[in-house]
Amino acid sequence: MPSVVKINVLTVPAEQREVLEKRFASRAGVVESSDGFEWFELLRPVDGTDNYLVYTRWRDEAAFQAWMEGPMKQAHQSGEAGAERPKPAASGSTVWTFDVIQQTGPKTEG
């Protein structure tokens, strides 16, 4: 069964880029220990767009859904009771889903 790739396309105004990047840098790291998690990348735009890409790869759709309903949901809820959540850095979000049908890595010499 092929892996599943989820790409969250975040629209981030220029004045919020540093905020977004700092939030991802200081994230709890919960995704890395989630069952079925395979890869994460945060991609910064360089061609004049405001769209960051959050790339994650999962063993299957069920693993992704389990993370969404459990650890991700908990991580995105407010912390202490009555504490105000920080304003989102992104002004929009769209999730793309792909099945991995081919992949390769660097060839090794020898």
Side-chain angles (χ1 to χ4, degrees), residues 66-88:
W67 174 73
M68 287 288 291
E69 292 302 316
M72 193 285 299
K73 192 179 233 181
Q74 292 170 0
H76 284 84
Q77 290 175 346
S78 58
E80 298 177 28
E84 190 172 318
R85 291 193 61 206
K87 177 185 171 203

Side-chain angles (χ1 to χ4, degrees), residues 36-96:
F37 169 79
E38 296 178 352
W39 199 258
F40 163 85
E41 291 178 326
L42 175 62
L43 306 175
R44 177 192 300 139
V46 295
D47 63 358
T49 180
D50 286 338
N51 292 330
Y52 275 72
L53 301 180
V54 182
Y55 173 101
T56 57
R57 190 174 69 209
W58 299 87
R59 176 184 59 231
D60 53 30
E61 182 67 25
F64 173 74
Q65 291 301 326
W67 174 73
M68 287 288 291
E69 292 302 316
M72 193 285 299
K73 192 179 233 181
Q74 292 170 0
H76 284 84
Q77 290 175 346
S78 58
E80 298 177 28
E84 190 172 318
R85 291 193 61 206
K87 177 185 171 203
S91 62
S93 172
T94 302
V95 176
W96 298 339

Side-chain angles (χ1 to χ4, degrees), residues 3 8 10 56 85 104:
S3 296
N8 191 356
L10 301 175
T56 57
R85 291 193 61 206
T104 188

Side-chain angles (χ1 to χ4, degrees), residues 7-28:
I7 299 174
N8 191 356
V9 183
L10 301 175
T11 303
V12 183
E15 65 274 8
Q16 291 294 317
R17 286 181 170 197
E18 186 176 344
V19 171
L20 179 91
E21 291 178 20
K22 284 182 178 178
R23 286 182 185 168
F24 269 93
S26 65
R27 62 192 170 79

